[in-house]
Amino acid sequence: MITTILSPHPSLSPAKSELATPRTKNAWHNNAERLADWLMGRVFVRRDSFGGYYRKDGQTQKTKRPNKGSVEPLSRELLIRHARATLPEHVLGGYGVTPGVGGVGRWVAADIDAHDDTDDPEQNLRYAIHLYHKLVSLGFTPLLVTWGSGGYHLWVLFREDVLGLTLYEFGLWLVADAKQFGFKKAIETFPKQGEVPTGKFGNWLRAPGRHHTRDVFASVYNGSEWVEDEAAVERILSIAGDDPGLIPALPKATTADESRTAGSASWSGKPVGYTRPGGTDGRADVFAEYNRSVTLDEVVEWHKARRHCVIGRSVDRVDFARAGKKEATESFNVKLIDGVPITWCFSNNAGLPDSRGLNPSQMRCFYQYGRFDTSAMRDFAVVLRRELGWDERPAVKSTSPSDGVHESRPVAQAANEPSQAADATTAAGIITQYFIQRYRPDFRRGNSIHTGDGEIVPMGVACEVPTSKLIEQLAGACDAPRFANGSVKRDSLPGLFRKWGKVAWGDLLELLPDEDTASLATTSLAADEFRRLVREAMLSEIVVGDTIGRQDVVTRTERRSLIDWCVKWAKTGPWRTIRSKKCWCKVEELGAGEIRLKVAIRHELFAQIKADRRIIEMGANTFTRRAAKYEVGTCPCDDRPHGQRAVILTDDFVSDLTEGLGVDDEEDGVEEFDHLGNGQAAA
């Protein structure tokens, strides 16, 4: 569809974008009650929580509310204040989907940003207008707003509840043509996930009204021109919501979990003739098969996920500058060679093997294990066999982000084959199948198994007591104890279980992968457990003291959670340590007055703060691997706090940790004592 591109919004001029005029403020202030009712019925579908802002160190920061610094629940009065906002603290945002299985919402939005000099306001405008008319052609009445700085919010509002997954897929479909307009990064859409687990919140978007950092109210596009003041308000209030039936038939979108881990658990790939040495089973090589399915874009996404930056692109080649490099000069590239995306690195500072070409199998193995030697590739082959359906081990428990239901793929698919497991007619084979069916294991941990329900079952528990059903099955074993006439000695069957139970358990352990090689989604129960352990550690409270005064020295101590200390002490610039703890923090500036908290930790931190022994005993290397596997954090080679390799927590995980911290409460937990040692940590 071809649309006429209008000239840029007048408020893009500096004189227009600084302050809202009295006329504009009056239009929003006078209609505040009507706007509050409109917002409550359409934007704020979730009433137990909402988004807001607060000021700290001259910066505007986002927060989830209610929180300890702002305990007011969502109300009509708060939304009236939003419409009449005079401060960043008055501005609110709404979450897009209600929590739980089958969560619903009433809107989809595209956030076309202009945070820094790399964003093109003209390009943003053209694409915003294009999306507006694209929606109009389908029968929608969209709401397109801007605050005059080159960024745009496009809303599609519905008159009734719509399934969250449908909203999520519709948003992805809407902006799927962004690359055709020159965008190198995906356009952000809301909701960002089709389903929000109970107790979680997802992501919120600022509601139409005042800008959160500037005294500017939204201007609205009416289909032919931009309007302000009373006309803008009336345009918003005129939108009653569209019929969900207008949503076009959508191709199945990538699930929220897969889109976050593009190139992780669901990679597909094209070849470059890597043949695993020593293959003797006569089958096609698993690496060649995998390589044949990977696309150039997928490999590009792997590198982008490690914060490497695309600086150039052609049909068959993408050039990258390494993460953290200020100059836009090439560090490595990915090029299609005979249809296969090969990564070639020129820099010895990019954290990649240099001066050689890596095919998709080698590249992914390196990112997953930190190396691609024979041992690592052998372990990685197990993962690929499972993904390609060649698995000789039991399939793992899978989680569908779209429905939140944990379903086990047939764990015994390979085990049921006589060549792959104990003979199912023997006592050991029958007991092995019993263990599989009862526990639905997804991986082994030492001599224990991790079950489909998230439990750890040790051998001693599993082999302690048989069930009546198992005894009946053992009666049919070819090696069951029998009388001289051939009848089964039923009284001896419990003893048969005790005799062969541990052998069967050993057979089961051989069938199972370990946790690091198991194909587990980031929404799996194992991932939830790992994330919970790290979260609990970061929320542990520690006492830190500061010295006050030069003559009468006093130490003032405060008790805060570790993440709260990070929020308090993070500044722009280099990493700052949390006293002697193996924890660092800093702030990244995003532009437009917005900032992002960055947190890095080393495994030794957990022993320092006496965290759960399970994470302490995990070991540093295992912790680093699982942090990457479960999207808790990564360990880049080129960003080392104070020269130490550390896991930098992902933005989503940090956001989850800081939800509800809210405005800094300066006196919370503060006590003063006589000098205790130059302000060192008191715990």
Side-chain angles (χ1 to χ4, degrees), residues 360-648:
S361 296
Q362 295 165 319
M363 192 68 258
R364 181 183 164 190
C365 183
F366 178 79
Y367 272 145
Q368 187 159 334
Y369 297 101
R371 65 189 198 280
F372 58 98
D373 55 21
T374 301
S375 175
M377 292 296 284
R378 183 182 298 113
D379 290 340
F380 184 49
V382 175
V383 176
L384 293 186
R385 286 196 184 97
R386 186 160 46 249
E387 292 180 3
L388 297 176
W390 296 6
D391 192 12
E392 297 178 354
R393 290 177 172 179
V396 302
K397 180 140 170 106
S398 64
T399 303
S400 170
S402 62
D403 58 16
V405 177
H406 295 266
E407 296 180 344
S408 290
R409 290 180 286 167
V411 175
Q413 181 177 358
N416 283 336
E417 301 174 8
S419 62
Q420 302 299 331
D423 188 347
T425 64
T426 66
I430 291 172
I431 298 170
T432 299
Q433 295 300 317
Y434 163 76
F435 287 148
I436 290 172
Q437 294 169 9
R438 177 172 180 177
Y439 297 116
R440 296 180 297 123
D442 42 23
F443 60 85
R444 68 177 185 270
R445 185 177 288 174
N447 282 334
S448 301
I449 62 171
H450 186 276
T451 74
D453 296 324
E455 301 293 329
I456 295 294
V457 179
M459 179 180 66
V461 171
C463 297
E464 181 67 23
V465 179
T467 64
S468 297
K469 182 178 179 180
L470 175 59
I471 294 299
E472 289 296 325
Q473 293 173 339
L474 289 175
C478 62
D479 52 354
R482 300 176 183 276
F483 292 106
N485 61 5
S487 61
V488 174
K489 296 182 178 180
R490 300 191 62 85
D491 290 346
S492 300
L493 292 178
L496 185 66
F497 172 77
R498 290 191 294 272
K499 177 180 179 180
W500 291 105
K502 292 183 178 180
V503 174
W505 190 258
D507 291 340
L508 175 61
L509 293 179
E510 280 194 349
L511 291 170
L512 290 171
D514 60 25
E515 184 172 358
D516 291 336
T517 57
S519 292
L520 300 171
T522 55
T523 51
S524 66
L525 293 175
D528 286 345
E529 178 189 20
F530 180 82
R531 293 170 69 92
R532 178 180 60 79
L533 292 175
V534 180
R535 177 183 173 84
E536 288 176 353
M538 295 303 297
L539 294 176
S540 299
E541 291 189 342
I542 62 173
V543 177
V544 173
D546 284 320
T547 56
I548 303 173
R550 295 184 178 179
Q551 296 180 348
D552 299 327
V553 178
V554 174
T555 296
R556 187 178 77 163
T557 64
E558 293 183 65
R559 178 180 293 276
R560 293 172 179 260
S561 67
L562 190 58
I563 188 65
D564 209 353
W565 283 116
C566 292
V567 171
K568 179 179 175 64
W569 284 346
K571 305 290 182 185
T572 56
W575 290 99
R576 296 164 61 90
T577 185
I578 306 299
R579 287 295 187 264
S580 60
K581 301 295 186 286
K582 293 296 184 180
C583 178
W584 299 266
C585 59
K586 67 178 179 179
V587 163
E588 285 186 352
E589 293 183 343
L590 302 179
E594 293 191 43
I595 59 177
R596 175 185 294 146
L597 175 66
K598 306 296 291 186
V599 178
I601 60 176
R602 283 179 60 86
H603 181 259
E604 296 96 312
L605 171 70
F606 302 120
Q608 288 181 315
I609 62 176
K610 298 179 174 59
D612 191 294
R613 64 177 180 81
R614 286 171 291 179
I615 200 165
I616 295 175
E617 296 171 356
M618 189 175 293
N621 292 336
T622 300
F623 169 72
T624 301
R625 288 195 300 269
R626 292 181 189 171
K629 182 184 185 74
Y630 298 135
E631 295 186 1
V632 169
T634 58
C635 185
C637 297
D638 58 343
D639 193 358
R640 300 186 177 187
H642 296 184
Q644 301 186 53
R645 294 195 66 175
V647 172
I648 299 178

Side-chain angles (χ1 to χ4, degrees), residues 268-272 274-277 279 281-294 359-361 364 377-392:
S268 42
K270 277 188 179 192
V272 121
Y274 178 90
T275 302
R276 184 182 182 190
D281 57 5
R283 298 185 308 185
D285 177 63
V286 68
F287 295 115
E289 178 76 12
Y290 174 73
N291 288 337
R292 274 191 291 271
S293 61
V294 177
N359 64 38
S361 296
R364 181 183 164 190
M377 292 296 284
R378 183 182 298 113
D379 290 340
F380 184 49
V382 175
V383 176
L384 293 186
R385 286 196 184 97
R386 186 160 46 249
E387 292 180 3
L388 297 176
W390 296 6
D391 192 12
E392 297 178 354

